[in-house]
Amino acid sequence: MRLHTQRDRETSSSEMDYTYAPGRNHLFVPGPVNIPDQVLRAMNRNNEDYRSPAIPAMTKTLLEDVKKIFKTTSGTPFLIPTTGTGAWESALTNTLSPGDRIVSFIIGQFSLLWVDQQKRLGFNVDVVESEWGRGADLDVLASKLAEDTAHTIKAVCIVHNETATGVTNNLATVRKILDEYQHPALFLVDGVSSICALDFRMDEWGVDVALTGSQKALSLPTGMGIVCASPKAIEASQTAKSLRVFFDWKDYLKFYKMGTYWPYTPSIQLLYGLRAALDLIFEEGLDNVIARHTRLGTATRLAVEAWGLTNCTQEEQWFSDTVTAVVVPPYIDSSEIVRRGWKRYNLSLGLGLNKVAGKVFRIGHLGHLNDLQLLGCLAGVEMVLKDVGYPVVLGSGVAAACAYLQNNIPMIPSRI
């Protein structure tokens, strides 16, 4: 047996000192998010035969319950072992053909990446770009649809909640514009950082494909892309000519019909985790979950205002209740705020990305998270701001958030 040398011990100690910190990491990036203990326990199990009666039986109930978080009764959900990026590709390739014209909006890093994917998949992308910090320019969409009397636009693609800038788009207005011009374009929505946290109504808003990722508001590990398709989208998939194999809905639908559900091996652990996550959401009540996120978002914005800093989101109509991007003064590099938070306070904040790199840091407030956890984050941010030379009044943001929360936190129903 090899004995540990002094060098081994020094290396091990150095690595441990770099990563370990007492207590829990305060995870406030806008995904991946905190995982509830109930979900961790549910996933802590051995592998199972997914062809046994148990897994198809559980999958059947999961598919029915997943429809509830999209607020659809007519949609068909797909639980795909992938990330949100894979879910994007699934939505596009199953409904569109190479060369199809689509209108897509760039308002931040993740909408930019989706547009990049759309172009690389061979679609004719009509890009509508806005200043980062503003929402999608829906007046331009209206103009394009009005001009498109030949219905050459086959889809409108939009990110519901842009996590790079903390901007939420108004999906109801998009549907209103489509209906106003009686345009048959498919309505495709990235709901990765919105579904299960923000108000989302697939059927009411006529969304044809919606998608999310397991690591966001569902509070699961990364690894499951959840896509939900309307009957119109399912019909479009029958004639769409984009090349697809792993993401092909036809394979899923074939196995749905057989009652075995899985065209290939699923993650057993993630399925049990999803079951536990949905149970927690339904126990709290989906509308209560959304109200909790509204409360957390409002409290965070009040803290930012009390610090004398500004929100990257330029108008209240676009404020996000899952992430707040905070603009720092020009003499501060926001990346240093993120580094200092992690190194000194065991606080994980989101970096500014691309055009806003070094200019903003992001506070994620989504998923399995309560008000006191958020206050701990805000206290940590205040100390970091003081560390990097910003003249924050310690306690100012926390006090502003507390004053709001103390008047708005409801009683815990099970403890009344």
Side-chain angles (χ1 to χ4, degrees), residues 330-400:
Y331 62 88
I332 292 176
D333 179 356
S334 66
S335 300
E336 180 56 30
I337 290 174
V338 176
R339 282 192 293 268
R340 176 60 70 110
W342 189 78
K343 286 187 174 183
R344 188 174 189 193
Y345 301 108
N346 202 12
L347 171 63
S348 294
L349 301 167
L351 289 162
L353 302 173
N354 200 325
K355 287 186 179 181
V356 292
K359 300 176 182 178
V360 310
F361 67 93
R362 294 174 298 147
I363 302 173
H365 33 82
L366 74 160
H368 190 71
L369 184 69
N370 65 31
D371 309 84
L372 295 189
Q373 286 175 280
L374 177 66
L375 290 172
C377 167
L378 298 177
V381 171
E382 290 187 1
M383 291 189 287
V384 175
L385 289 171
K386 199 78 169 177
D387 286 351
V388 299
Y390 180 73
V392 65
V393 176
L394 292 177
S396 57
V398 173

Side-chain angles (χ1 to χ4, degrees), residues 206-266:
V207 175
D208 290 303
V209 186
L211 59 97
T212 191
S214 55
Q215 78 280 11
K216 298 286 187 172
L218 276 167
S219 301
L220 287 162
T222 307
M224 183 183 290
I226 303 177
V227 179
C228 197
S230 72
K232 181 179 173 181
I234 295 294
E235 182 180 355
S237 73
Q238 306 305 313
T239 55
K241 294 180 173 58
S242 292
L243 181 64
R244 55 196 186 272
V245 179
F246 183 76
F247 295 119
D248 199 334
W249 295 347
K250 290 179 182 177
D251 292 339
Y252 276 89
L253 294 172
K254 173 185 173 182
F255 282 82
Y256 286 5
K257 190 173 181 180
M258 292 168 57
T260 52
Y261 294 100
W262 293 102
Y264 36 67
T265 310

Side-chain angles (χ1 to χ4, degrees), residues 166-309:
V167 167
T168 301
N169 284 308
N170 190 322
L171 301 183
T173 301
V174 177
R175 170 43 62 192
K176 182 179 179 181
I177 293 169
L178 283 163
D179 290 347
E180 182 179 347
Y181 294 101
Q182 298 182 327
H183 202 289
L186 292 165
F187 186 13
L188 276 55
V189 175
D190 167 348
V192 170
S193 62
S194 66
I195 291 169
C196 274
L198 307 182
D199 188 20
F200 189 90
R201 311 177 193 183
M202 184 170 179
D203 284 355
E204 183 178 332
W205 295 337
V207 175
D208 290 303
V209 186
L211 59 97
T212 191
S214 55
Q215 78 280 11
K216 298 286 187 172
L218 276 167
S219 301
L220 287 162
T222 307
M224 183 183 290
I226 303 177
V227 179
C228 197
S230 72
K232 181 179 173 181
I234 295 294
E235 182 180 355
S237 73
Q238 306 305 313
T239 55
K241 294 180 173 58
S242 292
L243 181 64
R244 55 196 186 272
V245 179
F246 183 76
F247 295 119
D248 199 334
W249 295 347
K250 290 179 182 177
D251 292 339
Y252 276 89
L253 294 172
K254 173 185 173 182
F255 282 82
Y256 286 5
K257 190 173 181 180
M258 292 168 57
T260 52
Y261 294 100
W262 293 102
Y264 36 67
T265 310
S267 167
I268 300 299
Q269 290 76 14
L270 272 177
L271 293 180
Y272 279 104
L274 177 59
R275 179 68 273 162
L278 291 172
D279 288 345
L280 288 173
I281 289 168
F282 298 150
E283 181 179 354
E284 183 177 357
L286 181 56
D287 289 340
N288 292 331
V289 172
I290 293 167
R292 171 166 54 83
H293 283 85
T294 300
R295 193 169 67 243
L296 296 175
T298 302
T300 303
R301 291 188 290 272
L302 288 170
V304 172
E305 183 180 348
W307 295 331
L309 296 173

Side-chain angles (χ1 to χ4, degrees), residues 24 52 65 94 100 165 201 249 328 351 375 392 406 408:
R24 288 196 171 189
S52 73
D65 282 349
N94 278 281
D100 277 353
T165 54
R201 311 177 193 183
W249 295 347
V328 299
L351 289 162
L375 290 172
V392 65
Q406 193 272 328
N408 287 278

Side-chain angles (χ1 to χ4, degrees), residues 80 85-95 117 227 244 247 249:
I80 306 173
T85 305
W88 281 347
E89 187 167 333
S90 172
L92 295 167
T93 58
N94 278 281
T95 58
Q117 185 188 76
V227 179
R244 55 196 186 272
F247 295 119
W249 295 347

Side-chain angles (χ1 to χ4, degrees), residues 144-163:
K144 290 182 181 295
L145 294 178
E147 294 167 0
D148 185 35
T149 56
H151 295 163
T152 62
I153 297 170
K154 301 303 179 185
V156 173
C157 300
I158 191 168
V159 172
H160 187 194
N161 188 75
E162 172 58 72
T163 53

